[in-house]
Amino acid sequence: MTTIEILKKYKIENFSEQGNMITVKVTKDVFTSLATSLANEENLPLSSLYATDDRQVSNTFGVHVLFANDAAHDWLLVSTEVLTTEPSYPSLTATVMAAHWYERYLHDMFGITPLGHPDLRRLVSHENVPENVYPLRKDFAWNTKMEHANVPYPMAHVEGEGIYEIPVGPIHAGIIEPGHFRFNVAGERIITLEGKLFFTHKGIEKLVEGKAPLEALPFIERLSGDMAAGHALAFCQAVEALAGCEVPKRAQLLRVLLLELERVTMHIHDLANIGGMGTGFSFIAANGFRIKERMVRLSDELLGNRFWRGEIVPGGVAKDLSTEKLAAILPVLQAAQVEINKIVKIALSSDGFLDRLQTTGVLPLEAAKAFGGVGLPVRASGFDRDVRRDHPDAVYKELAVNVQLKTVGDVHARYLCRINEIDESVRLIDAVLKQLTGNSDKNIINECQIKDGVTIGAVESWRGEIICALHFQNGKISRCFPRDPSFCNWALFAIIGPGNIVPDFPLCNKSLNLSYSGTDM
């Protein structure tokens, strides 16, 4: 069923279309019931939910929920208004679990209350943030120095004989960013697991307000340092969709090349990190990180940095890659593919290694869907979604991506999915390089004339689906919500942890590869 047919089914006639996004505005009384029906009756995945401060225009706040119609290859944005005198609406989380973090986030940052939310504890605002302070309202300055408060943050407790708590973090014995984890355990068996994040919230949404796209792009690229190409592409696609800008074919090919090279780089990292740092199988860690080093050096040779950064810009790409540079890619890539496959084959032949991965950290398909999970972690549980296939840009339509699925949903399944995705990415990169080599059109960028309005960009990064929602006013960004995949997937570790033993928690966590920085946007 098309998205318009779905809307008409619910007696919604007033909607607008722009590119592959349909927008509809409803009253707050209709908002929650319509969104609930779209999620539960029509099975449209909830991909984003965010708020806007529209007080200068209409004396209201806006609440917007984005749904993906994968079968029709388009998006549906449902919006409503809440009065400044009564900034509330019926909670969507009560009927659609995927909305849970989004609604806590807009409550912290805008002071909008989702009435009936089952867990409206603070999410971003920690104990030291005073009450009634809402950083994403327009009248809150980015450089405000807040007074220190002491607002209690209650974490879940389990009581009973032989049950005790293990606090971990927020400072860890490694180079990872801060996050606090609270285990309730019986012996070594995990009963409940809860996380507390947002210790280093960067405030990027506030920092890009009032900026032109090129001014905002460096902030977006640095949301998560290991996913620069993915976030830059989602942001640029959103700008281009609103501007009606057609990206030259060569630039489209170069963008896919970078996105897939970033995917291979980080999947190799994960195979090494899960296999070595998660299980103590140091052979795979030492060799995997050695192979990954070749990939980041390739990035340095091509772009002048080790993070696949600085190339994707609105309208196309910043610079072309010479024939010599393009010719250097495949030998490095194929050598990395052959070597990592040899190493994981050795690891997977070890009964001890398999014992740590198999049946560990099982993510049921129902939970993956209910919590709005995205990317490889949920595909390993059988959730068949991939933006490259379901919402493709021009080049991905031609390439016909083979989505890699498993059904068991344990660490082992997620490990195998990474191996298979590397092989698929190498196939895609080979096809792209052949087109780039044979393409005589050297145009790599077109001008984007910025228009006012609402737009989104969607990209299947190596970590999962990125959604970047942009609102423009007077040619500048009035609202930017760059939703990282980890924002959707952090809740999953509380699902896969219980039932396992404490020493398997790092293995479970690494198999999801969640970004602290991407969530601390």
Side-chain angles (χ1 to χ4, degrees), residues 241-350:
L242 190 61
C245 174
E246 184 177 347
V247 178
K249 179 63 177 293
R250 187 170 183 84
Q252 292 179 24
L253 290 166
L254 288 168
R255 287 174 166 193
V256 171
L257 176 67
L258 296 180
L259 191 67
E260 296 303 323
L261 285 169
E262 185 175 72
R263 192 183 317 277
V264 172
T265 303
M266 294 312 302
H267 280 348
I268 290 172
H269 171 92
D270 278 356
L271 292 173
N273 201 33
I274 296 167
M277 311 308 287
T279 68
F281 204 77
S282 57
F283 165 79
I284 193 169
N287 284 281
F289 291 141
R290 173 180 58 81
I291 298 166
K292 181 207 172 184
E293 177 64 21
R294 294 181 188 171
M295 295 299 298
V296 296
R297 289 186 183 187
L298 177 63
S299 173
D300 193 37
E301 291 174 16
L302 298 176
L303 306 178
N305 63 76
R306 292 163 58 90
F307 304 102
W308 306 108
R309 181 189 295 163
E311 175 72 346
I312 299 172
V313 295
V317 293
K319 63 181 180 182
D320 201 354
L321 296 181
S322 66
T323 302
E324 292 74 21
K325 286 188 175 182
L326 292 173
I329 294 173
L330 209 54
V332 174
L333 183 67
Q334 289 177 334
Q337 178 191 22
V338 169
E339 281 201 61
I340 196 66
N341 281 335
K342 283 182 179 178
I343 290 163
V344 296
K345 185 177 180 180
I346 293 170
L348 291 171
S349 67
S350 164

Side-chain angles (χ1 to χ4, degrees), residues 78-111:
V78 181
S79 301
T80 193
E81 293 179 341
V82 298
L83 297 176
T84 56
T85 54
E86 188 185 354
S88 64
Y89 68 98
S91 171
L92 185 53
T93 303
T95 50
V96 183
M97 190 62 194
H100 65 311
W101 262 32
Y102 294 106
E103 292 194 321
R104 290 174 67 186
Y105 192 84
L106 65 82
H107 183 250
D108 277 6
M109 305 303 272
F110 287 89

